[in-house]
Amino acid sequence: MFDWEAAWHAALYGPTGFFARGEKPSSHFRTSPLVGPELAEALLTLLARVDAALGFPPVVDFVDVGAGGGELAFAVRSLASGSLASRLRVTAVELGPPVELPGVRWTSVVPSCVGLLVGHEWLDSIPCPVVTGPSSDPWITRWWPSLGDGEQAEVGAPRDAAWAAAVSSVRGAALAIDYGHLMSSRRFTLTGYRGGRQVPPVFDGSCDITAHVAFDSAADAAGGDWVLVSQRDALAALGLTGAVSGSGWEWLESAARAGRIAELRDPHGLGGFGWLLHGCGVAVADLLPALPPWRPNPASFSVT
Ligand SMILES: C[S@@+](CC[C@H](N)C(=O)[O-])C[C@H]1O[C@@H](n2cnc3c(N)ncnc32)[C@H](O)[C@@H]1O
């Protein structure tokens, strides 16, 4: 029988795998960290709240798991200021080759973290088994009971395990930002990306292979205090609304920034991503105000 998980793993992380050989996401798809500095700004606001809730520890971590080219980690390092900047330790966790960036340390293993751990489009790149219904797989039975005869499904168990392990390594908060689905909206989403285009998922290392994240099972696996909200709402709650002001160059700069924020908050695009935030020894209510729960947007079926 074809071993989907092993083939998927070899295609991305084997010796000649897509990510293992150093393909950078920025060459193949547009993610929020690549839009501009605004996501990093918002995450620094969140990190400052985590820092305060932890009582301003001597070292504050920002850990970027599945860091790709390190764009987010580097932006966070560069934009940090004041007391937080002097105590900040930024770590990029990546299976592919590291990128030399000032102030960012690289590792291939999730370290322990006192601060904020972020997995930005990390979980969707973790290979899964694929089954065809009917299936007695325990994860499918629990989390995809609607799977019909002959229908295919990605088994989210490896993502759940990875997320639970990552969250357990944190004191502060852990945040997964990704596209996903819930039990009420499951569908088979396995697909490929190459050079900015969606392509058939061929397991030969020539393309990224991804599938939507089952947020509900990942949240349940990691447990504790968590919320799942939309990127659109979370960014607004962290101060990114994109008002345009001033005149001349100032107006132009604020208009360009407003355009980038609008892209990050577009409910049919990046704004439709889910933010799964776990408080780890910290109350989520101290980090974000109450927001509407995230709902998958059928229009944003494939958004990278
Ligand atoms: C879709 S890319 C996202 C890159 C970046 N976070 C962004 O949003 O632009 C996923 C990245 O996660 C990395 N990755 C997947 N599993 C990993 C793991 N267990 N540890 C570290 N990196 C991992 C891949 O190598 C790849 O670079």
Side-chain angles (χ1 to χ4, degrees), residues 38-77:
E38 285 77 17
L39 176 69
E41 279 177 33
L43 292 178
L44 273 166
T45 301
L46 183 61
L47 179 57
R49 293 178 189 175
V50 173
D51 186 31
L54 289 173
F56 307 104
V59 176
V60 187
D61 286 303
F62 179 82
V63 175
D64 180 6
V65 188
E71 293 87 354
L72 179 62
F74 184 58
V76 165
R77 176 68 272 175

Side-chain angles (χ1 to χ4, degrees), residues 130-230:
V130 172
V131 297
T132 304
S135 170
S136 58
D137 177 277
W139 188 91
I140 294 290
T141 308
R142 167 76 179 84
W143 293 106
W144 202 317
S146 60
L147 187 67
D149 284 4
E151 289 176 357
Q152 286 183 298
E154 305 94 356
V155 178
R159 282 120 178 243
D160 293 359
W163 185 237
V167 172
S168 73
S169 71
V170 178
R171 194 159 65 82
L175 173 65
I177 303 177
D178 229 308
Y179 36 87
H181 44 49
L182 300 173
M183 190 133 72
S184 54
S185 59
R186 296 274 188 250
R187 45 186 165 167
F188 187 60
T189 57
L190 187 79
T191 191
Y193 284 92
R194 185 194 308 120
R197 288 181 190 283
Q198 194 168 4
V199 295
V202 182
F203 292 87
D204 62 358
S206 67
C207 60
D208 179 22
I209 297 171
T210 173
H212 283 38
V213 175
F215 277 126
D216 39 10
S217 73
D220 185 75
D225 183 21
W226 60 268
V227 290
L228 175 61
V229 299
S230 73

